[in-house]
Amino acid sequence: MSQETVFTGKRVLLDSSSTIGPAAIYVDGAGKVARIENEYRPDGAALDAGDMLLMAGIVDGHVHINQPGRTQWEGVVTASHAAAAGGVTTIVDMPLNCIPSTVTVDAYQQKRESFQKGMWVDVGTWGGVVPGNATDLAPMLDAGARGFKCFLCDSGVDEFPPVNEEQLRTAMVELKKKSGLIMFHAEMDTGATVDAAKNPIEYNTFLDSRPPNMEVKAIDLVIQMCREFAPHVPCHIVHLSAADALPAIRAAKREGLPLTVETCFHYLSISSEDIPSRSTEYKCCPPIRGKENRDKLWDAVLDGTIDFIVSDHSPCTPDLKLHPCCGGKIPTDAVEGDFVKAWGGIASVGIGLPLLWTEGQKRGLSFQDIVRLICERTAVHSGLRDRKGKIAVGMDADFVVWSPEEENRITADKLHFRNKLTPYKERVCKGTVHQTVVRGNVVYDVSKSTDDNSWENCFSRDAFGQWLETPIARSD
C-alpha cells in the first residue's frame, strides 16, 4: 500500500461501458492499476485532474516512425513526444519507410535496439509481408511483432515490394500455424492513370488517378483470402478511404469472417473539395475523397462497420512533398505543389483526439465512443487487450487528462513531430490535452512550461516508454 500513488478526478471514464464520475485510481510501483475507488480524493494525489476528463491513454496502432534509416523523416524521440503531447500512450510502428524494413528477425532486432532510451510512450512494431519472407513470419511473431502488413500495390519504397495472390497465400499458410494477424494496404491496379492534360498542382488531378475501385478490387481479394483461411488468420484493412467498399465489408462481417477495418482522422475530418491547389501536405494513399464519401465513412464508424480509428502518421521532409514549408527546397526539375509527384503521407500523430472530438460531437459521438474507437479496440487489434485501452485493475496505468470544452488552435509550437508540414496547422478544434501518464509516470504536462531538472518543454526529461513484445492478447 505504501508504494501506491493516486490519480484522481471528478470526471473519470474507466472504459466504454462506464459512466463518467469521480474516481481515485491507485497505482502500484510496477505502474499497474492496483485498485479503484468511486470517489474524488485530491489530498495527496500524484495527479488531480479536477474538472477535466481523465480516461485511458490512446493506443495508435498505425504510425510510421521511420527509424532506423530515415530519421530525417521522423524518429522515435520526436514521434513519441508528439504522441505524448496528444494523450497517446502507445504507438505501434509500421514495418516500412525504415531501413531495413521490418521483414526479418534481424531487422526487428535492429529496430528494437535503435529505439532504446528514446521512447516517451510505449512502442511496439508490426512486421511486414514481402515476396519471399514467408518463413520469417513465425520467428518474428515469436520475437514480439504484433502482426504483419502487406501491400497489394506499389508501396512507394523499393525495399518493401507488394505481394501477389500466390505470394500472399504462401504467407497466410505460415500465419495460419500461429493465428497471426495480416493487414492489407488495400489498393490494386485497375488501369487508372494520371491525365497528362490536367494540371498537377490541382488535387483532383491526383484524386482521379486513385479511384475508389482500386480499393474495392483489393478488398474483394482480402475478403476472398480471409474466407479461405478463416478462422485461423484474422485479416485487417488499413486506412479505408473508399465508402464504395463498405457493402462488401458489411456482407463479410455478417458472414462472420475475422475481418476488421480501420479508417483515419484525415478521412473523417477533411473533404477533397476543401483541399487548395499546391497543398501537398494533404496527399496520401489512398486519397482523401469527397464530402459525400466522408459522410458514409462516418456512418460506418457510428454503426460499427469500421472498427476503430488511427492516425496513419506518415511524414517525410518538405522537399519530398515539393513544398516550401519549413525550409523545404524544391528541386530545380520539379514543380512546387505537384500532387502527382509529391510523396504521399500525412503527419498527424498526437492530433487525433481533438480532431475526432470536434467532428464527432457534431454527429452524436460520445466520450464512450471515443474510448472504444481509439483506446479499447486499437489495443485489442495490437494484441494488448490485457494491458492497454481501459482503466481497470491489473492494467497499465496509462491515462490522458484533457479538457473537451477548451478551444485548441493547432499552432506550430504544438507540433512535436520532426517535420511540421501537416494539413492541420492553424486548424481550430475543441479539446486540449493537459497531461499524459504512461504506466504511472507523467510524461507530458502542459503546465510544466519552465524547464528544470525533471522537465523540458512540458516533457519529462526521463523517457519512461518501453518496447512492447509481450505475448499477443486479442481475445479473452
Side-chain angles (χ1 to χ4, degrees), residues 71-131:
T71 51
Q72 70 273 29
W73 294 15
E74 192 59 276
V76 69
V77 172
T78 49
S80 62
H81 271 183
V88 179
T89 53
T90 303
I91 53 180
V92 189
D93 188 31
M94 281 291 157
L96 71 158
N97 300 349
C98 51
I99 302 175
S101 296
T102 316
V103 296
T104 65
V105 170
D106 181 64
Y108 172 90
Q109 296 295 356
Q110 286 186 55
K111 177 182 283 189
R112 182 185 187 279
E113 290 305 310
S114 80
F115 280 17
Q116 298 305 307
K117 300 181 180 179
M119 298 176 285
W120 265 256
V121 301
D122 287 352
V123 183
T125 190
W126 304 106
V129 171
V130 295

Side-chain angles (χ1 to χ4, degrees), residues 62 64 94-96 127-129 148-151 160 183 185 238:
H62 194 145
H64 292 266
M94 281 291 157
L96 71 158
V129 171
F148 299 92
K149 180 183 182 180
C150 69
F151 272 70
F160 202 96
M183 309 186 297
H185 180 119
V238 301

Side-chain angles (χ1 to χ4, degrees), residues 163-234:
V163 289
N164 60 31
E165 184 174 337
E166 179 183 356
Q167 293 160 340
L168 179 58
R169 183 171 284 106
T170 299
M172 292 179 75
V173 167
E174 294 301 312
L175 290 175
K176 182 178 179 179
K177 300 172 184 177
K178 293 272 192 177
S179 297
L181 170 73
I182 186 166
M183 309 186 297
F184 298 84
H185 180 119
E187 290 181 288
M188 292 180 73
D189 181 32
T190 58
T193 58
V194 175
D195 187 342
K198 293 184 177 180
N199 193 337
I201 69 169
E202 300 299 334
Y203 180 73
N204 280 346
T205 302
F206 161 68
L207 177 60
D208 291 344
S209 73
R210 311 284 291 216
N213 65 359
M214 290 182 67
E215 291 186 73
V216 172
K217 180 180 179 181
I219 288 169
D220 285 345
L221 175 61
V222 171
I223 292 170
Q224 172 192 322
M225 300 299 289
C226 185
R227 182 181 294 115
E228 181 177 334
F229 284 88
H232 306 290
V233 183

Side-chain angles (χ1 to χ4, degrees), residues 54-70:
L54 189 160
M55 69 181 205
I58 298 163
V59 178
D60 191 341
H62 194 145
V63 177
H64 292 266
I65 298 175
N66 306 327
Q67 183 175 324
R70 285 195 175 99

